[in-house]
Amino acid sequence: MDPVSRVREHFAESIATKQAAAEQIADSIAAAAHLMSNALLNDAKILSCGNGGSAADSQHFSSELLNRFERERPGLPAMALTTDSSTLTSISNDYAYEEIFSKQVRALGKSQDVLLGISTSGNSENVIRAIAAAHDRDMQVVALTGRDGGRMAGVFGPNDVEIRVPANRTARIQEVHLVVIHCLCDLIDTTLLGDS
């Protein structure tokens, strides 16, 4: 296949995945935004985590809340657990890589806070342990997953929200996760500030 056709195929597959996701996960996105907005309105914060591209997504989400999304507003309390290299490497070295997020959740999380856990496969052990730590701290969880939800699908509590992208290809799942993050930011701003 020539390069131009290959590029067009990527775009077509991405569009088709997003259209399928819009039908299947819109309700979950709205529920997650409601959960997060309530936490923020009650002076709680949102912690986020993920690995690789999902780490970048967790930082992207946190920055949109702390700084701004598309509207001027005061910063909102959010923290990506993926950014402190000294903390990440010390936990990895002294304990295990699987604990890099859970130890931070136990130290920083409190009741009413929300954990945003991102894993395209749903099988990231360190995110699964972060979810368990969040539950121990009486926190609610929003999870962005894909495929069949992986092992994460079996660890959610009754008040948690899973947003599972109906796709198997990692790149397509990540592309939808980015749209979901922007939807969450928009819905949070709308809830807190009203329609523009």
Side-chain angles (χ1 to χ4, degrees):
M1 180 184 301
D2 70 277
V4 172
S5 296
R6 193 170 181 88
V7 167
R8 288 180 176 144
E9 188 175 275
H10 277 286
F11 273 85
E13 186 180 312
S14 183
I15 291 165
T17 303
K18 287 177 177 132
Q19 287 175 326
E23 294 300 317
Q24 295 183 39
I25 64 175
D27 289 343
S28 296
I29 296 169
H34 178 74
L35 187 154
M36 290 174 162
S37 297
N38 281 345
L40 294 167
L41 286 167
N42 287 300
D43 293 324
K45 64 186 171 296
I46 302 174
L47 306 177
S48 57
C49 63
N51 298 283
S54 298
D57 285 342
S58 75
Q59 291 168 219
H60 183 154
F61 177 74
S62 178
S63 73
E64 306 263 51
L65 292 185
L66 277 166
N67 184 30
R68 66 186 291 275
F69 179 52
E70 294 181 326
R71 300 166 67 178
E72 293 300 330
R73 57 151 165 76
L76 300 171
M79 173 185 273
L81 304 178
T82 56
T83 59
D84 182 346
S85 60
S86 294
T87 295
L88 297 174
T89 55
S90 69
I91 295 170
S92 295
N93 185 63
D94 296 347
Y95 297 93
Y97 186 76
E98 292 80 11
E99 299 293 335
I100 60 171
F101 302 135
S102 59
K103 284 187 72 70
Q104 292 185 76
V105 169
R106 285 192 175 91
L108 301 170
K110 63 176 185 168
S111 178
Q112 306 303 315
D113 287 347
V114 174
L115 174 70
L116 173 63
I118 309 173
S119 173
T120 57
S121 67
N123 290 318
S124 300
E125 181 62 29
N126 53 13
V127 178
I128 292 169
R129 292 189 189 192
I131 292 170
H135 290 153
D136 289 345
R137 301 292 288 162
D138 237 1
M139 297 167 60
Q140 290 179 287
V141 174
V142 172
L144 304 186
T145 66
R147 300 187 178 100
D148 63 358
R151 291 187 298 117
M152 282 171 62
V155 301
F156 299 121
N159 298 315
D160 296 338
V161 179
E162 180 189 15
I163 303 170
R164 186 186 302 173
V165 176
N168 291 309
R169 193 169 177 186
T170 299
R172 301 293 87 92
I173 297 167
Q174 288 174 327
E175 289 159 5
V176 176
H177 281 179
L178 179 57
V179 176
V180 170
I181 285 167
H182 287 160
C183 288
L184 291 171
C185 291
D186 174 69
L187 292 171
I188 289 167
D189 278 1
T190 300
T191 300
L192 273 55
L193 303 173
D195 290 325
S196 57

